[in-house]
Amino acid sequence: QKNHKQIFKDILDLDESKDENKSQDEILFDFTVCNPPFFEHLEETGLNKQRANNATESELVYSDGGEVGFIKLMIDEIKQLRLYNKCGWFTTMLGKKSSIKAIKHLLNKQKVFDDIF
């Protein structure tokens, strides 16, 4: 994404579909897969010396909360763009076990999601 504050907008561009033969109600996605930036600060990326790290800073670091902040942005954008009506399953990888509790809390606060955990 050109704008790091957007995840789905312009990728799952449901308002301006390139397929002019389908209505917006006909454009559905089975699932999305995400490998978010795990870290909030670049210094965190070098903590495990046994792993090679050839990724760029923008692939590794999301300064607005690391992976929890990135996934919060995903949840907010899903709700704002009403993607829960367009996509059957949203998936994301987590790099830190400590993020699970915060992510569960974020998901359970949302009224649009059901069958979560």
PDB file of all heavy atoms in Angstrom, residues 36 42 82 99-100:
ATOM      1  N   PRO A  36       1.379  -9.399   9.061  1.00  0.00           N
ATOM      2  CA  PRO A  36       1.578  -8.002   9.463  1.00  0.00           C
ATOM      3  C   PRO A  36       3.003  -7.729   9.933  1.00  0.00           C
ATOM      4  O   PRO A  36       3.737  -8.662  10.269  1.00  0.00           O
ATOM      5  CB  PRO A  36       0.612  -7.845  10.638  1.00  0.00           C
ATOM      6  CG  PRO A  36       0.568  -9.198  11.249  1.00  0.00           C
ATOM      7  CD  PRO A  36       0.664 -10.160  10.083  1.00  0.00           C
ATOM      8  N   LEU A  42      12.121  -0.520  15.336  1.00  0.00           N
ATOM      9  CA  LEU A  42      13.129  -1.234  14.561  1.00  0.00           C
ATOM     10  C   LEU A  42      14.112  -1.988  15.454  1.00  0.00           C
ATOM     11  O   LEU A  42      14.569  -3.074  15.099  1.00  0.00           O
ATOM     12  CB  LEU A  42      13.871  -0.252  13.640  1.00  0.00           C
ATOM     13  CG  LEU A  42      14.792  -0.878  12.611  1.00  0.00           C
ATOM     14  CD1 LEU A  42      14.032  -1.818  11.689  1.00  0.00           C
ATOM     15  CD2 LEU A  42      15.481   0.204  11.794  1.00  0.00           C
ATOM     16  N   ARG A  82     -17.286  -2.032   5.575  1.00  0.00           N
ATOM     17  CA  ARG A  82     -18.312  -3.075   5.602  1.00  0.00           C
ATOM     18  C   ARG A  82     -17.865  -4.324   4.848  1.00  0.00           C
ATOM     19  O   ARG A  82     -18.642  -4.977   4.160  1.00  0.00           O
ATOM     20  CB  ARG A  82     -19.636  -2.540   5.078  1.00  0.00           C
ATOM     21  CG  ARG A  82     -20.148  -1.345   5.876  1.00  0.00           C
ATOM     22  CD  ARG A  82     -21.413  -0.749   5.296  1.00  0.00           C
ATOM     23  NE  ARG A  82     -22.461  -1.721   5.068  1.00  0.00           N
ATOM     24  CZ  ARG A  82     -23.420  -2.040   5.930  1.00  0.00           C
ATOM     25  NH1 ARG A  82     -23.456  -1.444   7.098  1.00  0.00           N
ATOM     26  NH2 ARG A  82     -24.341  -2.934   5.637  1.00  0.00           N
ATOM     27  N   SER A  99       0.436 -11.013  21.979  1.00  0.00           N
ATOM     28  CA  SER A  99      -0.567 -10.231  21.250  1.00  0.00           C
ATOM     29  C   SER A  99      -1.950 -10.876  21.267  1.00  0.00           C
ATOM     30  O   SER A  99      -2.952 -10.203  21.017  1.00  0.00           O
ATOM     31  CB  SER A  99      -0.138 -10.034  19.795  1.00  0.00           C
ATOM     32  OG  SER A  99       1.056  -9.303  19.733  1.00  0.00           O
ATOM     33  N   ILE A 100      -2.018 -12.156  21.562  1.00  0.00           N
ATOM     34  CA  ILE A 100      -3.289 -12.882  21.454  1.00  0.00           C
ATOM     35  C   ILE A 100      -4.367 -12.272  22.340  1.00  0.00           C
ATOM     36  O   ILE A 100      -5.495 -12.040  21.894  1.00  0.00           O
ATOM     37  CB  ILE A 100      -3.100 -14.382  21.763  1.00  0.00           C
ATOM     38  CG1 ILE A 100      -2.219 -15.016  20.683  1.00  0.00           C
ATOM     39  CG2 ILE A 100      -4.449 -15.098  21.863  1.00  0.00           C
ATOM     40  CD1 ILE A 100      -1.807 -16.450  20.982  1.00  0.00           C
TER      41      ILE A 100
END
